Structure formats: C-alpha cells, structure tokens
Amino acid sequence: MKDIIKLALRNLKEHKSKTLIISLFILFGVAIVIMGNSFLESINRGLEKDFRANVTSDIVISPIPEKGTIIDIGGVISTGGSIDSLKVPGLADLEKIEKIIAETKSVKKQTKLITATVMVSIGTEVDLSVLTENDDLDYSKYPSAVLFAGEDGTYRDMFPDLKIIEGSYPTPGSNEIIVDNRILENIKAVYKKDLKVGDAVSIMGMSSGGKIREAKVSGIYKPANEHSAMYQPIYCEPSLARSFADLTYASSFKEELPSNVDLSLSSLSEDDLFGYEDDVSMDGGSAVLGDSSVGFDNILGDTTLRNELNKTDDGSWQYILLRLDNARADKRLVVELNKRFKEEGLNAQAMNWKKGAYSYSSTVDGIGYIFNILIIILAIVVFIIIMNTMVVSVFERTSEIGTMRAIGAEKKFVRRLFNSEALILTSLSSVGGIIFAFIVMLIFNSLNLTITNAIAKEILGGGMLHFSPTPQIVILIIGVAIVGGLFANMYPVKSALKITPIKALSKE
C-alpha cells in the first residue's frame, strides 16, 4: 500500500495541470458549502436565542387554529381555503390549562400574552393618505408594529432584558404604550414629526375592522437584541390589546339568548323597517321607520346584553408562554402537553419556539431549502467536471497503464492506484477548502456587519451577519467530498481497467 501511495503522489505531481484544475474545483466547492452552512447555522442559532430569550420563551400555548390556518405569536397565518377569521381567539378553559401546566414537571416560569398587529399615527386621527400618496415610501418604513401585552408581573419576570431609555412603563389599566426606538425613524419619515414621550397617538388595528384607539406614549425602549428579526413590538396594558384582539365577553362565551331579549324586529321586512310616513304596507299598515309614533331611541330594543357582551373580557388571553428548567426538553413536553389537552378535550395546542415563531422561522427554513438545492446542483456539476477530467487523464495515460499491465500489474493494483489518487486529491483539496473558508469567515466576522432594513431582517432571521461553523459541518463536508471524489472516479477507473497491453501498444 505504501508503494501505491508513493506512485499516486508521483502521478499527481507529473500531471500538474489536471491536478490543479480538479483541486481548485473541490477547494472552492468545499469552501462555498462550509460558508453557506455556517451562515445558515448562524441565522438559526441567532433566531432561536433571540426568540427563546425575548419573544416566545421555550413553549407557546395557543388555541387550535382553524383548518387552512396556522397560529403563531404574531397572529393567524392563512395557508389556503375558506377562513372565518384571521384573529386569534382567547384560550377557553384557562383554569384547566393552567392546572395541567402546574402538574407538568420542568416548567420554571409561565406568563400570559395578547398580541395584535397595528398601525401608529401621531395625533388623535389616523391619516392613511400620507402612506398612499408617498410613492417613495417603501413598506419597511411603514409605522406598523405588533402590539404586545403581557400579564402584570410575570411577563417582565420572564423577559427582564427590555431597557427603558426614556419615560416609564405603562400605568396599569391605562391606554399608555412604550414604543421601540427603531419605529421612531419610521414615524418621522411618514409624518415628518418626532414622536416623544407624552405625545398622543392613534392606533389602528390591522385585523380588527379598522378599530381605532387613542393612546399616550409613556416611554421609549431599546430592545434586548437590536438586531432582532421581531418586527418593532409596542408594549401596552392588556386592556388596550384586548380591544384590538376582539377579546370580548361575546367572543369568550357561547350561551343561549335569554328569554327577555327583544326579537320583535326579526319578523319585520325591509319595507316595514325602511318605509316612509306616507307609505302603506300591503295589509294597510304603515312602515315601522315611517311611523312617527315609534321611538327611535328604542328601535333596537333592549341593548343592555349587547353592550355587556361587547366589553373586553379582563380574564381573556391568547397565549401562555412557558420557560423550562431544561430548554432542550421542549419537544418532549410539547408532546406531553398536547396529549393532556386532547384527553381533556381542550381547545389548546402546545408549540416549541420554532412553531411559535413560524412567521420568521419558516422564512429562514425556506432560505435553507433553496441553498441546499443550489448546493446539490453545484455538487453534481463539480463531480461531472471531475469525472470528465479524470476520464481524459485515463486516455492520456493509456500507454502507462498498458505498460503496468504488461509487467504484471493486476486490475486490482490499477484500481487501488486510481482510487488512492482520488482519495489524496479530494482529502488535500477539502482541507485546503476548509482553511480558505475559515480565513474568509474570520475576516468577515471581524467586520461586524449588520443590516437595518426590517424586511431583510425578517428574511434573514436578524440583522447581524455572521458565520458560525460547527465541527459537525466540517466533518460532514469532508466525508461528502471524499465519497463524492471516489464516486466521480468510478467511471474513469472502469475505463482504465479495460486497457490491455495489446491495446496500449496498438495505440503507440
């Protein structure tokens, strides 16, 4: 075997041009794959670290979504089909859910949460014309945000890294908000005004039928991770968030109408309701709305129940977030909790952080799938080039192979020789590719490059551009390169074994 290795090294040295061509293809191919996977690893690590620490915690519990939808921390996502509502309902049977959580081991902390997507406008009126009339304003600069309202005490205890840089937290029960310092620039770009602590703003719900509420800015905060992919959260008190999430008593309870509800209008026709004073119905009676004897203040009957049902339900929540003693036990606990919820017949589902942040993690996963497809295509092209180059090399070495066969070299010897050449070439080239990739990544990481565009941060899972190589990636790439090199060498070796001394002499 030692002699075969020496002979393989000599052959590689003698055929410098082909050795160099194949080496460069393998070197750059390995470098590209390692850098690409390291970048994806960095994105996934950063997204997981950020969302576990600051947004979703380890496990998210929400209502079970309708067919054709997905619920994550940001709301309802449509995946096709007929959908009744794009709003996240409140968790029903909250006490039963909390009892199951209390009986579950490894839960360190828990809190409750309400979210809603909103648009912010300076002043007491919402002026959408500034958005539609400004053609130079791109979507990333819109003053939109996700409204977050956590349970008093427990939410801040679970996510303590929020930093108030001006003002204070909202007063309990008030319509005060604290805004992300990143949204201030967007508001100034749209409304040509600076938003300050104490200013009045109007908040319009994006999925609540255009519902508008006045609020007051009580503080400006700096997010725990300024490069977070999470889109500009605004924190408020639960009572304000419930109005945008439509968490009313009507949506929380399903009960039969009481017998004292006035249903007299339901039996009347449109002509009866909307006729004029001189209109006469078919049976000779006057229309209800055209009858001056009708009291318009009482035309809707008793609205007491309706008014009560339209009030926000102070005990309603959309999500429960859990922090675990061991974050890596989340998959096991998700299965355990979902099993208990199903056994109890509860409309609740447990999700790990990744499913709870589906809007963001799915984008990153999509980039990963696209990258892997490109890598497969690249690998196929590189292997074909290597194979063709080796086939040409075999034809050029016909006389050499024939001479070896003539002096007694068996087919097994020739096969080992060519496989040794391929193994040495791919191994050394792979190592060279790894070294080159690490040098490039080291230089790139030292630059600490970031992006500020909100859409780009959502796509890339954050604003920090970084490479995070792992030993597993390096070992896997070396193994794939070696196996690929030997595979690409199979056809050239097969061609070499067909060469006989007579064929080699006849070619000479």
Side-chain angles (χ1 to χ4, degrees), residues 203-230:
I203 303 175
M204 183 178 76
M206 304 290 281
S207 60
S208 59
K211 189 176 292 181
I212 299 173
R213 294 287 184 272
E214 291 184 17
K216 178 182 176 182
V217 178
S218 68
I220 298 170
Y221 76 91
K222 180 180 179 181
N225 177 13
E226 287 189 278
H227 307 299
S228 175
M230 187 64 206

Side-chain angles (χ1 to χ4, degrees), residues 297-486:
D297 292 336
N298 299 318
I299 193 68
L300 296 179
D302 185 2
T303 60
T304 304
L305 178 61
R306 184 198 65 181
N307 295 336
E308 289 298 318
L309 290 177
N310 282 334
K311 289 182 179 180
T312 56
D313 180 3
D314 294 337
S316 184
W317 299 90
Q318 294 171 321
Y319 308 96
I320 297 176
L321 310 182
L322 306 181
R323 176 86 69 202
L324 306 181
D325 291 324
N326 177 15
R328 298 303 165 190
D330 56 349
K331 291 182 179 179
R332 176 180 60 82
L333 286 177
V334 163
V335 173
E336 183 180 326
L337 286 169
N338 283 330
K339 183 179 178 181
R340 289 290 308 277
F341 293 155
K342 188 175 182 180
E343 289 173 351
E344 297 290 334
L346 300 176
N347 180 27
Q349 64 169 354
M351 307 175 281
N352 62 11
W353 79 269
K354 194 167 188 177
K355 192 174 179 182
Y358 180 83
S359 305
Y360 301 87
S361 62
S362 60
T363 305
V364 174
D365 288 342
I367 294 174
Y369 295 144
I370 293 171
F371 176 78
N372 288 330
I373 291 171
L374 293 176
I375 288 301
I376 292 171
I377 294 172
L378 174 65
I380 292 172
V381 171
V382 170
F383 289 148
I384 289 174
I385 292 172
I386 292 172
M387 184 175 66
N388 289 339
T389 306
M390 288 183 168
V391 168
V392 172
S393 177
V394 167
F395 287 132
E396 290 179 351
R397 295 167 62 181
T398 299
S399 59
E400 176 190 339
I401 296 168
T403 302
M404 286 190 293
R405 295 294 308 279
I407 60 177
E410 298 178 354
K411 288 185 177 182
K412 183 169 62 175
F413 178 86
V414 176
R415 182 185 292 107
R416 286 180 179 177
L417 176 62
F418 275 85
N419 285 338
S420 297
E421 290 178 13
L423 187 61
I424 293 169
L425 191 59
T426 53
S427 299
L428 294 178
S429 300
S430 298
V431 171
I434 292 167
I435 294 171
F436 176 75
F438 271 78
I439 292 172
V440 172
M441 290 189 290
L442 188 64
I443 294 171
F444 187 91
N445 288 347
S446 67
L447 299 176
N448 293 319
L449 298 177
T450 59
I451 53 175
T452 57
N453 183 276
I455 296 176
K457 286 197 288 187
E458 285 187 49
I459 293 173
L460 295 176
M464 190 72 181
L465 302 180
H466 201 267
F467 290 100
S468 298
T470 63
Q472 292 89 343
I473 290 175
V474 174
I475 294 170
L476 179 63
I477 297 304
I478 291 176
V480 171
I482 291 173
V483 172
L486 292 173

Side-chain angles (χ1 to χ4, degrees), residues 16 33 59 190 205 225 239-240 263 316 327 344 439 476 482 504:
K16 292 180 182 178
V33 173
I59 291 179
V190 173
N225 177 13
S239 56
L240 179 59
L263 299 176
S316 184
E344 297 290 334
I439 292 172
L476 179 63
I482 291 173

Side-chain angles (χ1 to χ4, degrees), residues 234-251:
I234 289 178
Y235 293 91
C236 68
E237 282 294 293
S239 56
L240 179 59
R242 286 190 180 102
S243 63
F244 289 106
D246 280 344
L247 296 181
T248 60
Y249 285 106
S251 64

